[in-house]
Amino acid sequence: MTEELKPMDTDKESSAESKSPEMSIQEDSGSDIAPMQTDEQLNKEPFVPGPNEKPLYSAEALTLEDLTLLAELFYLPYEHGPKAVQMLKEFNWLRANSSVVSVNSKGKEPQKVSEWRARAEKFEEMCCSVIQMFTRLSNSANRTILYDLYPYIWDIKSIISMVKSFVQWLGCRSQSSAQFLSGDQEPWAFRGGLAGEFQRLLPIDGANDLFYQPPPAMPTSKIYSIRPYFPEDEPAVYKICREMYNEDIEGVPFPEQPDLIGDRLVGGFLTLSPDYGFVLEDNEGICGYALGTVDVKPFVKKCKMSWIPSMQEKYNKPDSEKDLSEAEKMMLSFHEEEEGLPESFLSNFPSLIKVDIHGKVTDPSVAKSMMGCLLSSIKANGSHGAFCEVRQNDKRMLDFYSKLGCFEVAKMEGFPKGVILMGRSL
């Protein structure tokens, strides 16, 4: 007689009933899947730092609004969610109507200016909600889900941060003649999804290398913000410029002239071309800068008329017949006449730029975002090419600009000695 077969007990109800809740929790803690956050974890008393202690960062739990936003940012293959569509419409409107808040509009239409600023503030709030969602998800207890989603949220966070910075620049520094022309790139040159849509709306839509920002190997929730430069940022920019001039030098270089390096390398930009300046910030303050000028020829004329004479008064001319120190060579440069660059070169690269980031910043993507913001600003105001000047022995900056898509321009008559010019077409 055959034995009667019984169905397999797949739910393991009997074994589950025999185990206590404490044993079940112990078994779950050994799993490679992190437990879900509970209300008990959220109700713990927050850490209160003492007078000499730094505050601890406490991760916030994901909210329903965060998950809804995540779903709407990655809605369907050929359709965006309501929040994503709203962000695209707002950015497109702000871009198209930026002339009412340009630096040379002089507030002729106060009602339109108020409307633009109100909608810009609303758009920035939406961008901040995306960045906040990224931070909360990056600190999620369930690391398995995070590793699956991280490349997507990193990508959208990066492009939204760049767009947010560009809108801030439009609101205070753009010219009324700003142009937003679509490039002649083929459709396949753009990424798909919402990130690709925002890329198309930025002036440097064809700079695919700046938009390609691979996520780090280990997920991080550290956020950097990029914003327009303001006069009160000058000491921090000078400090970074001084510290990064030569990383091999111990201590502060040229302690007797602490402003010398900043005056020589970035002072002219900050004084005569502040409209094309951006700074990079983290939770400790400014840690990078991106500076530029749309047309270097009038910029050089302004420098000769105002900036150089003020520097000649500040720094006495050293005796050029004796052996000069690095500081004296730098001071002498203010008293020497510089030859202009060849017209054939400036016709292709009319804009001068300078970007640098403090060595403590380990995220390589922020340099691309900084360059993207700077090039977007100068291209919106008519530039079609930019160049930077790098000392021949400065390997760090040569590598830095090379990774940002700049290439060494072939030497021609009229180029300064001891300097390499690196260019990039827009």
Side-chain angles (χ1 to χ4, degrees):
M1 227 178 132
T2 59
E3 184 179 353
E4 186 178 353
L5 297 177
K6 295 182 179 180
M8 184 180 293
D9 188 4
T10 57
D11 294 334
K12 299 184 180 179
E13 295 176 356
S14 58
S15 61
E17 290 174 358
S18 62
K19 293 181 181 179
S20 65
E22 291 78 7
M23 293 175 61
S24 300
I25 293 175
Q26 290 175 357
E27 285 188 3
D28 290 340
S29 63
S31 172
D32 61 346
I33 301 177
M36 183 179 294
Q37 292 172 330
T38 64
D39 293 338
E40 290 182 6
Q41 293 172 320
L42 300 178
N43 293 333
K44 287 183 179 179
E45 293 184 5
F47 170 76
V48 179
N52 298 321
E53 294 179 323
K54 291 184 177 181
L56 294 177
Y57 176 77
S58 56
E60 297 181 58
L62 278 167
T63 65
L64 179 60
E65 289 75 15
D66 293 328
L67 298 177
T68 302
L69 176 61
L70 178 64
E72 293 187 2
L73 295 176
F74 302 96
Y75 201 60
L76 291 173
Y78 301 101
E79 182 179 351
H80 304 306
K83 181 70 72 174
V85 171
Q86 184 184 6
M87 292 181 71
L88 284 171
K89 288 182 177 179
E90 287 298 314
F91 180 50
N92 200 17
W93 186 91
L94 292 169
R95 193 187 68 151
N97 294 275
S98 61
S99 60
V100 300
V101 292
S102 60
V103 293
N104 49 358
S105 66
K106 299 179 180 179
K108 295 178 181 178
E109 301 174 289
Q111 187 174 358
K112 290 185 178 180
V113 170
S114 299
E115 181 187 6
W116 194 97
R117 298 205 179 282
R119 294 181 70 163
E121 184 178 354
K122 182 179 179 182
F123 178 77
E124 287 185 35
E125 289 176 358
M126 290 189 285
C127 292
C128 289
S129 66
V130 175
I131 297 172
Q132 189 176 45
M133 178 270 294
F134 166 82
T135 303
R136 288 172 175 166
L137 190 54
S138 297
N139 289 297
S140 172
N142 195 323
R143 310 308 285 176
T144 304
I145 293 179
L146 172 63
Y147 276 98
D148 289 338
L149 296 178
Y150 195 75
Y152 302 98
I153 61 173
W154 171 271
D155 187 44
I156 197 66
K157 181 268 300 180
S158 299
I159 188 68
I160 291 296
S161 298
M162 192 184 300
V163 169
K164 174 175 172 283
S165 304
F166 184 67
V167 168
Q168 290 177 334
W169 176 82
L170 284 177
C172 60
R173 303 290 169 79
S174 66
Q175 302 286 335
S176 59
S177 58
Q179 301 177 356
F180 304 99
L181 303 176
S182 299
D184 55 358
Q185 291 78 24
E186 296 293 338
W188 51 262
F190 297 100
R191 296 174 297 168
L194 186 62
E197 296 282 357
F198 276 115
Q199 179 182 338
R200 288 181 175 89
L201 294 176
L202 285 169
I204 55 165
D205 54 348
N208 295 309
D209 59 309
L210 297 180
F211 294 102
Y212 177 67
Q213 301 180 11
M218 292 296 294
T220 175
S221 61
K222 187 171 181 60
I223 294 293
Y224 296 92
S225 61
I226 303 171
R227 62 166 176 82
Y229 164 85
F230 293 102
E232 55 268 26
D233 301 325
E234 181 179 305
V237 174
Y238 265 51
K239 183 175 183 290
I240 295 170
C241 190
R242 184 169 60 248
E243 292 178 354
M244 298 306 296
Y245 178 73
N246 194 336
E247 292 181 292
D248 298 330
I249 296 178
E250 293 185 4
V252 179
F254 316 151
E256 296 180 358
Q257 295 90 16
D259 293 339
L260 177 58
I261 296 175
D263 287 337
R264 183 68 185 92
L265 300 181
V266 300
F269 288 106
L270 302 182
T271 304
L272 303 176
S273 186
D275 291 347
Y276 301 96
F278 294 87
V279 293
L280 177 71
E281 285 184 312
D282 61 6
N283 54 2
E284 297 179 357
I286 294 176
C287 52
Y289 60 83
L291 310 170
T293 181
V294 171
D295 194 342
V296 71
K297 288 189 287 186
F299 174 74
V300 170
K301 289 181 180 178
K302 290 180 182 179
C303 284
K304 291 180 178 180
M305 291 176 60
S306 59
W307 179 251
I308 296 298
S310 65
M311 292 298 102
Q312 290 174 345
E313 293 180 7
K314 186 174 180 179
Y315 303 105
N316 295 326
K317 183 178 180 180
D319 185 1
S320 58
E321 294 182 358
K322 66 175 186 178
D323 291 335
L324 301 178
S325 64
E326 285 295 320
E328 289 174 327
K329 290 178 182 179
M330 198 170 287
M331 287 188 283
L332 182 62
S333 66
F334 289 120
H335 297 270
E336 294 180 332
E337 185 72 21
E338 292 186 3
E339 296 183 7
L341 293 170
E343 186 63 33
S344 58
F345 171 78
L346 295 178
S347 62
N348 293 315
F349 306 100
S351 301
L352 176 61
I353 62 174
K354 184 165 184 62
V355 183
D356 205 356
I357 293 176
H358 199 280
K360 69 178 182 180
V361 179
T362 57
D363 182 357
S365 69
V366 295
K368 291 186 175 183
S369 296
M370 289 278 284
M371 180 67 90
C373 291
L374 178 59
L375 296 184
S376 292
S377 67
I378 62 176
K379 186 177 181 182
N381 285 337
S383 179
H384 56 268
F387 74 97
C388 54
E389 300 176 335
V390 186
R391 292 174 293 156
Q392 284 184 341
N393 59 348
D394 195 343
K395 186 178 183 301
R396 181 185 71 88
M397 292 306 297
L398 289 172
D399 293 341
F400 178 77
Y401 283 116
S402 296
K403 292 176 181 177
L404 295 179
C406 298
F407 58 89
E408 183 176 348
V409 181
K411 292 183 179 180
M412 59 178 68
E413 187 177 351
F415 276 21
K417 296 180 180 179
V419 174
I420 294 177
L421 299 185
M422 303 186 72
R424 175 173 181 131
S425 299
L426 304 180

